[in-house]
Amino acid sequence: ELKNNTLIVVLGASGDLAKKKTYPALFGLYRMGFLPTGVKIVGYARTKMDNAEYHKRITSYIKNVDDDDGKAKLEEFKQLSTYVSGGYEDGESFDKLNQYLQELDGGFQGNERHRLFYLALPPSVFIPVAKNLKEHCYSKAGINRIIVEKPFGKDLESCRELLKSLKEHWTEDETFRIDHYLGKEMVKNLLVLRFANVAMGAAWDKNSISNVQITFKEPFGTEGRGGYFDEFGIIRDILQNHLMQVLSILTMERPVSFAAEDIRDEKVKVLRAIPPVEREDTLLGQYVAANGKPGYLDDDTVPHNSVCPTYAATTLWIHNPRWEGVPFILKAGKALNEAKVEIRIQFKDVTQGIFKDIARNELVLRIQPAEAMYLKLNTKTPGLYTRALPTEMDLTYKRRFTDVYIPEAYESLILDALKGDHSNFVRDDELDVAWKIFTPILHWIEGKNGSAPRPVGYPYGSRGPKELDAFIHKYGYRRSAEGYSWPVTN
Ligand code: BG6
C-alpha cells in the first residue's frame, strides 16, 4: 500500500478527464482523509501556467464545497498541489519533471517517494508518455504505478499492439487500467448480492431466468465530443467496455476468493464462452434533430454523411451450462429521454394452470441515478378475495442507507490503485476477449467487409429506435401484465 510519501502525478492535468473526474476524486479522497499522509499532487500538461493559475483551475473543477470545513480542506488541497508544464514526446521535458519530483522528495537520490502516475491523456500520446515516465521519472527506491484509461485500441489487433507497447515499459502488476463502471457502488454490490445470498444464487441460471437486459441511457448527444465519438461509436464507447464488465460480473461463476486474480480469472472464463456478436442480433440507431435539439449529423465536428451509431442494442449468448439459451441484451444510447443505467433480469413464466396471465418476476438493479434494487413479485391483494397483483419489494438506497455517502466511482478506484488492489481494474486478457466478441461486428459497421449498414434514425429525446420493442420481444422479453391477474377457477 502506498501509505506515506506518495507523489501523485496527473498527466493531462488541463484536460477534460482531469477536470471532470480525476481532480474532484482526488479532492474527495483528501477531504475524507483517504490520501496518504504527506501526499503531493503534481499536475503536468502542455499548457503553460503558474501555480496560481493552476489553483484557480482546481477551484473551478471542484464543485459543491459550501461548508467551512470543505473550504478549508480545499485550501489545504491546493497547497499540496503544484504544476509543471512540458511536452509528452520529448525526454527532456520528463527529465525536468523528474528533477521537480526529486525536489519534492527532498532532493536526495535514492530517497524517492512512491509515485502514482495517472494518464488522463488522449490515446495518441499513451505510448510516448508511458515510455518517458519509465525512462525518466521512475522512482528507484519507491513503488511506481501507472493508471491508464480507455480507449484501449479500436479493435482486437490495435488493442494487442497498444498493450504490447505499454508492457515494454510497465509490468502488469504496476498497471491499473480503469473502467470506471467497476468503481460504481451497485456494480461492486453484484458480488455480494450473488454470492452472499442463497436465495439469489439458486435462481441465477437458465432454469429460472428468461432474459437479461443491461441498459445505458444518456439524455444528451455528443455535444462537443463529436470528433472523438465519430471515430469510436457507441459500441466502443459503452458496450464493449462498461456493459461487458457488468455482464461478466453478473454471469461469472463464484470466484475461489475475493483476490483480484481469482475474480478476474472467472470474468475471463465467462467471456470466453461468448461467441462474436452476430449482425442479426444487432440494432443500430443514430439520433436525428427533434424537440429543438440538433441531430448527430448537425454536429459540426461530425462528418456530414457519418453512419456512426449513437445507439446500439446487441444480444449475446453464453455457451456454458449455467446460461445456455439465455439472451443477454446490451443496449446503449445517447440523446435519449432519460439518464439511466440498469440491469433488468426477467424470470421465466410461472407454471401455468392455477393462474392466468400472471406477471413475470423481475429483479432490477439500478446502477444510476439513485442506486436501487427492486424485485417485482406477485402478491395477493389484501382483502376478502383472491387476486394476484404485481408489486415491488423495494430497496432504494436513499431510503435504506440514510446518511451514507456513496462514493464516486473514481474515488473508489484511485483508492484501490493506492492500495495496490487490482480487483476492480481490467486485466489484459479481459480486454483481449472483449475485443474478440465485438471486432467482427465493428468491422462490418465500418464497412470493412462491404458497404457499411445505415443506422435507423431516432428522435433526440426519445426512448430510442422504434424497432426496439420488437427487438427485445424477439429475445423473449415480455412487458409485465398491467394491473392484476385473476386466478383460473375450474
Ligand atoms: C464514458 C464515455 O466512458 O462514460 C462517455 O466515454 C459517457 O461517452 C460516460 O458519457 C458515462 O459515464 P457515467 O459515469 O456518467 O455513466
Side-chain angles (χ1 to χ4, degrees):
E1 184 166 354
L2 307 190
K3 271 201 176 126
N4 302 315
N5 300 333
T6 298
L7 297 176
I8 300 176
V9 186
V10 181
L11 296 114
S14 56
D16 209 45
L17 179 66
K19 169 176 159 182
K20 290 201 183 119
K21 302 290 184 188
T22 319
Y23 275 95
L26 286 171
F27 175 64
L29 288 173
Y30 180 72
R31 189 176 177 173
M32 292 181 282
F34 282 111
L35 288 190
T37 39
V39 68
K40 294 266 185 336
I41 297 168
V42 179
Y44 182 88
R46 277 189 295 231
T47 318
K48 288 209 162 52
M49 63 178 142
D50 57 15
N51 281 331
E53 168 62 23
Y54 169 68
H55 287 163
K56 250 195 245 160
R57 289 205 188 196
I58 294 185
T59 315
S60 73
Y61 295 171
I62 293 163
K63 315 268 182 250
N64 307 326
V65 183
D66 309 318
D67 57 306
D68 288 344
D69 177 59
K71 283 182 189 152
K73 282 271 160 33
L74 182 55
E75 283 313 307
E76 286 170 28
F77 181 76
K78 287 196 285 190
Q79 291 319 308
L80 54 89
S81 304
T82 47
Y83 181 81
V84 176
S85 74
Y88 293 132
E89 317 259 351
D90 62 301
E92 276 158 48
S93 293
F94 285 83
D95 275 336
K96 251 182 56 201
L97 173 62
N98 190 47
Q99 273 165 22
Y100 180 67
L101 298 179
Q102 282 179 347
E103 268 172 45
L104 292 179
D105 286 333
F108 305 112
Q109 287 269 350
N111 186 32
E112 293 103 337
R113 300 168 188 240
H114 305 309
R115 293 180 182 178
L116 178 66
F117 299 102
Y118 192 119
L119 271 57
L121 291 168
S124 54
V125 294
F126 279 176
I127 295 170
V129 170
K131 176 172 184 282
N132 280 326
L133 286 173
K134 180 66 195 283
E135 288 175 358
H136 302 271
C137 301
Y138 196 80
S139 164
K140 291 182 191 63
I143 296 170
N144 296 271
R145 290 186 183 141
I146 186 166
I147 300 181
V148 284
E149 292 241 5
K150 77 160 208 281
F152 300 113
K154 292 194 73 182
D155 57 10
L156 182 60
E157 205 184 321
S158 52
C159 172
R160 283 184 175 168
E161 273 169 32
L162 176 73
L163 293 192
K164 195 166 147 255
S165 309
L166 291 174
K167 274 167 195 276
E168 283 169 18
H169 312 291
W170 294 86
T171 65
E172 189 66 21
D173 205 40
E174 290 170 330
T175 307
F176 291 77
R177 294 183 200 91
I178 286 197
D179 182 310
H180 76 287
Y181 268 60
L182 292 174
K184 294 195 186 255
E185 187 63 35
M186 188 54 78
V187 177
K188 290 169 78 176
N189 177 45
L190 282 172
L191 283 179
V192 178
L193 176 76
R194 290 193 56 201
F195 301 118
N197 293 297
V198 171
M200 286 297 150
W204 218 260
D205 63 17
K206 64 181 182 198
N207 299 320
S208 303
I209 293 176
S210 160
N211 61 83
V212 177
Q213 293 181 64
I214 305 177
T215 307
F216 169 98
K217 296 173 83 178
E218 234 172 27
F220 45 85
T222 49
E223 279 111 80
R225 286 173 83 225
Y228 154 82
F229 191 86
D230 200 76
E231 212 190 302
F232 287 85
I234 194 78
I235 293 184
R236 289 189 184 93
D237 197 40
I238 306 289
L239 270 87
Q240 183 270 349
N241 36 68
H242 302 328
L243 301 193
M244 286 306 278
Q245 285 296 338
V246 174
L247 176 74
S248 61
I249 304 175
L250 191 74
T251 57
M252 70 183 191
E253 295 302 314
R254 184 189 171 108
V256 175
S257 80
F258 269 120
E261 299 322 323
D262 286 338
I263 293 173
R264 300 193 297 180
D265 284 349
E266 291 304 335
K267 285 165 70 186
V268 170
K269 237 191 260 170
V270 75
L271 291 179
R272 288 178 56 202
I274 303 177
V277 176
E278 299 283 348
R279 296 176 196 185
E280 330 43 287
D281 288 331
T282 306
L283 169 66
L284 303 172
Q286 189 184 73
Y287 63 89
V288 298
N291 306 314
K293 299 281 195 171
Y296 180 66
L297 298 182
D298 301 324
D299 186 329
D300 289 341
T301 52
V302 165
H304 71 279
N305 56 355
S306 169
V307 289
C308 173
T310 59
Y311 185 97
T314 61
T315 301
L316 303 181
W317 307 90
I318 303 176
H319 293 307
N320 70 13
R322 182 187 290 276
W323 296 117
E324 194 65 53
V326 179
F328 289 85
I329 308 164
L330 271 43
K331 302 180 288 172
K334 298 233 165 218
L336 297 176
N337 59 335
E338 60 182 345
K340 192 192 275 178
V341 181
E342 67 172 30
I343 305 168
R344 184 173 295 265
I345 298 165
Q346 187 169 64
F347 292 90
K348 290 193 163 170
D349 282 321
V350 76
T351 306
Q352 299 294 311
I354 56 170
F355 293 110
K356 181 170 152 280
D357 293 337
I358 199 94
R360 287 181 174 179
N361 293 140
E362 277 183 21
L363 174 65
V364 181
L365 310 173
R366 192 161 67 227
I367 297 172
Q368 65 191 39
E371 293 79 355
M373 292 196 267
Y374 53 94
L375 178 62
K376 296 196 179 184
L377 285 180
N378 296 303
T379 305
K380 180 183 126 19
T381 320
L384 293 172
Y385 44 88
T386 305
R387 255 182 202 178
L389 188 76
T391 50
E392 284 169 4
M393 236 156 78
D394 182 3
L395 197 146
T396 295
Y397 275 33
K398 276 224 174 71
R399 276 201 293 272
R400 177 60 182 78
F401 304 111
T402 45
D403 292 334
V404 174
Y405 174 70
I406 298 183
E408 287 294 322
Y410 278 86
E411 290 173 345
S412 154
L413 294 175
I414 294 173
L415 185 60
D416 282 350
L418 285 164
K419 287 184 181 156
D421 180 356
H422 277 93
S423 322
N424 292 312
F425 292 86
V426 186
R427 201 167 68 186
D428 50 359
D429 51 350
E430 286 183 71
L431 281 174
D432 202 82
V433 62
W435 277 121
K436 273 187 191 145
I437 296 168
F438 283 97
T439 295
I441 198 87
L442 285 164
H443 284 176
W444 171 62
I445 290 171
E446 280 156 7
K448 289 220 164 93
N449 327 311
S451 64
R454 183 156 284 283
V456 297
Y458 64 94
Y460 196 123
S462 66
R463 289 176 56 233
K466 60 179 187 331
E467 291 78 0
L468 179 65
D469 287 335
F471 183 85
I472 56 179
H473 192 267
K474 184 168 105 184
Y475 298 103
Y477 178 75
R478 297 290 174 266
R479 202 158 278 289
S480 298
E482 295 294 332
Y484 51 79
S485 324
W486 292 94
V488 178
T489 44
N490 294 319

